[in-house]
Amino acid sequence: MSRRPWFSLGFFVPLLAALTMVIAIACGGADATPAPTADEPATDAEVTPTAVATPTPTAEATATATPTPEAPSGPTGVLTTSFESMPVYQPHPRYRPAGFEEPTMVAHEGLFILDRDYQLQGNLVKDWSVAADNKTWTFELHDGIQFHGDWGPLTPEDVIYSTRELGADDGTCGCPQIQALFGSPEEDWQTDGFWEVINDTTIQLNSDPSGLVDLPYRMDFPSSNSGWIVSKTQWDSMAADGLSVDEALPQVVGTGPWELTELNLGEVWKFRAVENHWRHTPYFAELHLLTIPEEATALANFEAGRTDTWSAAPDSLSKVAELDTTKFMSLTDVGEMILYIWQNGYTFNGTDRQWPGYNPDLPWVSDDAEVGSAGWEQARKVREAMGLAIDRQKLVDELLHGNGAPGAIYGWQPLRSLWPDDWNWDYNPDRARELLAEAGYADGFEIVLSSATSRLVEVTRSACEAIAGMLQDVGIDARYENVPLGELYDGYKARTQQGITCQHINAFGGEPVSLHRISYDPELLWGVGWDHPWFTAKMVEAYETPDADARWALQFEMGDWLRDNALAMAVYSLDQIFPLGPNVDSWEEHLSMGEAQSISGLEYAPHRQ
């Protein structure tokens, strides 16, 4: 079954233009309050507001961006959307909650964005260039961008401070690669190190050559490893006033087109439009973000007109399509389901740094890191059997209702048109049984599957349970266990995890080598399944190769190796559909590939005419 034509976007990602990608989405507009139940649509309820700062400007712009005309009569009405969950409001880069950029991105901005065609566009940055040495970058900021709350204009010092805070050793990002690109916070942040202030609007970044490949991705927003720019002056002022971090965080201001006015955790966050915003003034006067954990409840709110849009799960789409007033926006390949088949080796096997989760007695784990050895081949056949046992097309058809596509290799989903045919996984349970017998497991073995995701939780759990059943069909005694997300992530960091984790992630922004280096580098703070000396060396080589043709050749070589060895296994990619209620019209052309199953470009959401 192919993707539904009424949702299809149809896009092409050029081979050498795939510098970045992330994902974000849509919203619509009516008054809203705390989350209702599925049986009882939302009713007005009192909430205790938490007062917050005041408004000001931000940018959309590349040098080529075309501004959208502002509402002639000024912002009016309320735009309302919902999220499955929203974190504590922590917009400071050092403390930002990983994976939850979306709710705060309406009030904050970063240096770059990725448009819906996966092209890097300047946001706070007006223009940028890289020197002939392939490591000296110059960034020119828009002039006159103001922070909310009278905290003054955006300065190069704010950029340097924010990027270094993101890569701090004790930061929540856990991103040492950020530090490698932007320099250590222990340096004199104003003049020394990698950053240099040229003038009031110009900064230069003297990056290590190894940062060339994904440097722009690290600076886009929102993304899995980057963030927004905050005011160093404000943060220093709050520290001088004796505010604790917890007291200061909700007050951190941004430069975005919406300014936070009320913060009711677990219920609703409220924002007001920043008039005369330097980039684009919203069409709606207010924005309300609701917390609605249950999909059935989110659907009931939309049907009752309490919310204008949300990131609908696949099962909800046919229901809202029955409403005469519903319109749709969509993005393709916004996320993917991958399998972490945990081996927790092989780089440090036999040393005092051997990962605690490494256990060569498990059938899918090799007792020998030498590719092609008897131990490696035995474990490889087991992993290949697992891959062949999964009916990916059935999962797309039945769980995603056709709004997705079968996967192959983690990190390559949006580059589908570039895959060699032999990367695809055929559904072949008979061959899976033969491979298990060849590996010495004709009678099967036991394995536990768990799922990890902060969104599309039910879909991911259902897919993981279905995969467990498919493994059972070829003789593997697989069972699904619901493990708390925090417990799973602790295992990622400690490298104690075993079994299989079904992980739903947002589509990645950048070339595959960037994602793979984050995931499989044995020197980083966590790993997602395995590491291997051959692959690590190849990653470093590709990462430090400035010539695009040569770098992509290395990445295809790495892709062949991953597929041949049944590693970095993807299950499917999915499309995100955004239903729009009667109060709001489409702004699909302004959606960005940031945090894809969420809402982006809300300032461009127009009133329905």
Side-chain angles (χ1 to χ4, degrees):
M1 179 175 179
S2 60
R3 292 175 171 171
R4 291 188 178 180
W6 58 298
F7 289 154
S8 177
L9 296 182
F11 67 91
F12 170 70
V13 183
L15 175 60
L16 300 181
L19 264 177
T20 29
M21 145 193 0
V22 236
I23 298 184
I25 322 298
C27 271
D31 285 315
T33 47
T37 65
D39 297 327
E40 182 180 358
T43 57
D44 292 332
E46 293 185 2
V47 291
T48 305
T50 300
V52 199
T54 45
T56 330
T58 181
E60 143 187 55
T62 35
T64 59
T66 302
T68 300
E70 296 177 359
S73 58
T76 59
V78 180
L79 178 64
T80 305
T81 186
S82 65
F83 293 85
E84 283 185 64
S85 63
M86 292 196 293
V88 176
Y89 195 85
Q90 297 181 169
H92 190 281
R94 181 184 289 253
Y95 306 102
R96 76 175 186 46
F100 283 104
E101 284 86 355
E102 313 92 310
T104 38
M105 74 187 183
V106 299
H108 295 80
E109 296 176 302
L111 299 177
F112 293 90
I113 61 169
L114 282 172
D115 65 21
R116 60 177 295 108
D117 296 318
Y118 299 95
Q119 298 302 300
L120 191 70
Q121 303 289 347
N123 197 37
L124 298 176
V125 167
K126 179 181 180 180
D127 198 8
W128 69 99
S129 61
V130 61
D133 63 3
N134 282 323
K135 67 176 183 177
T136 304
W137 293 77
T138 301
F139 304 98
E140 182 183 354
L141 303 173
H142 284 274
D143 193 14
I145 297 172
Q146 297 291 316
F147 282 105
H148 304 160
D150 297 324
W151 280 106
L154 173 76
T155 68
E157 288 78 11
D158 296 317
V159 173
I160 295 170
Y161 170 75
S162 300
T163 53
R164 289 190 171 172
E165 284 292 290
L166 182 68
D169 285 335
D170 59 350
T172 56
C173 176
C175 302
Q177 69 274 18
I178 296 292
Q179 226 180 68
L181 292 176
F182 301 140
S184 169
E186 280 66 49
E187 297 165 357
D188 180 345
W189 61 270
Q190 207 160 15
T191 57
D192 295 339
F194 291 177
W195 280 112
E196 182 180 356
V197 177
I198 305 301
N199 56 42
D200 289 346
T201 58
T202 308
I203 343 172
Q204 201 168 79
L205 178 61
N206 300 304
S207 172
D208 185 284
S210 66
L212 174 65
V213 173
D214 61 355
L215 188 144
Y217 162 70
R218 301 299 174 200
M219 302 172 74
D220 74 13
F221 170 76
S223 82
S224 57
N225 290 290
S226 193
W228 40 86
I229 306 303
V230 299
S231 168
K232 183 178 188 299
T233 300
Q234 186 206 19
W235 188 259
D236 288 347
S237 174
M238 290 190 290
D241 289 342
L243 272 66
S244 68
V245 169
D246 289 342
E247 291 170 328
L249 283 173
Q251 301 183 45
V252 171
V253 297
T255 60
W258 304 93
E259 181 188 8
L260 182 66
T261 58
E262 292 184 18
L263 184 59
N264 305 286
L265 296 178
E267 296 177 347
V268 57
W269 297 2
K270 294 184 179 181
F271 301 80
R272 64 168 164 240
V274 174
E275 298 212 37
N276 301 314
H277 188 265
W278 72 272
R279 176 165 54 82
H280 181 73
T281 298
Y283 294 106
F284 284 84
E286 293 184 44
L287 172 64
H288 293 179
L289 307 182
L290 302 182
T291 300
I292 303 181
E294 301 297 329
E295 178 69 14
T297 306
L299 173 62
N301 271 269
F302 181 83
E303 292 175 326
R306 307 291 301 189
T307 58
D308 298 304
T309 187
W310 89 107
S311 302
D315 286 343
S316 298
L317 297 174
S318 60
K319 299 183 177 76
V320 297
E322 295 172 359
L323 303 174
D324 292 339
T325 56
T326 303
K327 291 187 176 183
F328 294 93
M329 303 188 300
S330 58
L331 287 171
T332 302
D333 286 328
V334 301
E336 61 181 315
M337 157 85 116
I338 54 180
L339 296 184
Y340 297 152
I341 303 177
W342 294 94
Q343 293 137 82
N344 276 313
Y346 298 89
T347 303
F348 301 129
N349 291 0
T351 74
D352 58 2
R353 295 185 63 188
Q354 182 170 300
W355 303 125
Y358 174 69
N359 181 0
D361 292 334
L362 299 173
W364 57 93
V365 181
S366 175
D367 62 2
D368 190 338
E370 183 67 31
V371 175
S373 66
W376 183 268
E377 272 301 292
Q378 182 182 39
R380 186 202 64 77
K381 287 181 178 181
V382 170
R383 296 193 299 269
E384 184 180 359
M386 293 178 184
L388 294 172
I390 300 170
D391 190 340
R392 290 164 171 76
Q393 188 64 58
K394 183 176 182 179
L395 293 174
V396 170
D397 293 344
E398 297 186 1
L399 288 179
L400 306 183
H401 301 279
N403 298 310
I409 298 174
Y410 171 39
W412 282 85
Q413 294 305 99
L415 304 174
R416 182 182 320 281
S417 64
L418 307 178
W419 295 352
D421 289 342
D422 58 4
W423 284 11
N424 291 301
W425 283 94
D426 295 327
Y427 172 54
N428 192 338
D430 290 336
R431 178 57 182 155
R433 295 184 189 97
E434 291 174 1
L435 285 167
L436 290 173
E438 291 174 14
Y441 296 100
D443 295 329
F445 52 84
E446 295 182 356
I447 193 168
V448 174
L449 287 74
S450 53
S451 58
T453 185
S454 58
R455 53 176 67 85
L456 284 181
V457 174
E458 292 306 318
V459 173
T460 305
R461 286 178 180 170
S462 296
C464 204
E465 290 173 338
I467 290 169
M470 292 170 184
L471 295 178
Q472 292 273 6
D473 289 344
V474 299
I476 298 172
D477 183 12
R479 68 180 188 277
Y480 174 78
E481 291 183 356
N482 185 17
V483 179
L485 191 60
E487 183 179 326
L488 285 170
Y489 282 176
D490 287 343
Y492 290 15
K493 293 178 181 179
R495 288 177 168 89
T496 56
Q497 201 74 17
Q498 296 180 346
I500 295 177
T501 301
C502 307
Q503 174 92 51
H504 170 80
I505 65 167
N506 289 328
F508 178 72
E511 296 182 17
V513 65
S514 299
L515 178 60
H516 292 155
R517 193 164 191 191
I518 294 169
S519 303
Y520 303 122
D521 189 329
E523 299 295 343
L524 294 190
L525 296 182
W526 66 356
V528 292
W530 53 273
D531 52 69
H532 191 278
W534 183 92
F535 197 76
T536 300
K538 197 62 65 172
M539 281 193 302
V540 171
E541 181 184 358
Y543 205 75
E544 297 183 355
T545 299
D547 180 77
D549 290 334
R551 187 172 65 249
W552 277 97
L554 289 167
Q555 291 181 88
F556 278 104
E557 183 183 356
M558 292 159 61
D560 287 338
W561 189 88
L562 291 170
R563 179 60 181 86
D564 290 345
N565 290 287
L567 295 166
M569 194 181 296
V571 179
Y572 57 67
S573 64
L574 69 155
D575 307 333
Q576 182 62 58
I577 316 300
F578 302 98
L580 302 176
N583 296 318
V584 67
D585 221 326
S586 173
W587 66 99
E588 187 171 271
E589 68 276 14
H590 292 290
L591 298 180
S592 65
M593 301 303 288
E595 290 289 338
Q597 289 100 275
S598 295
I599 309 293
S600 63
L602 293 171
E603 63 273 21
Y604 295 103
H607 294 272
R608 183 81 64 92
Q609 301 299 315

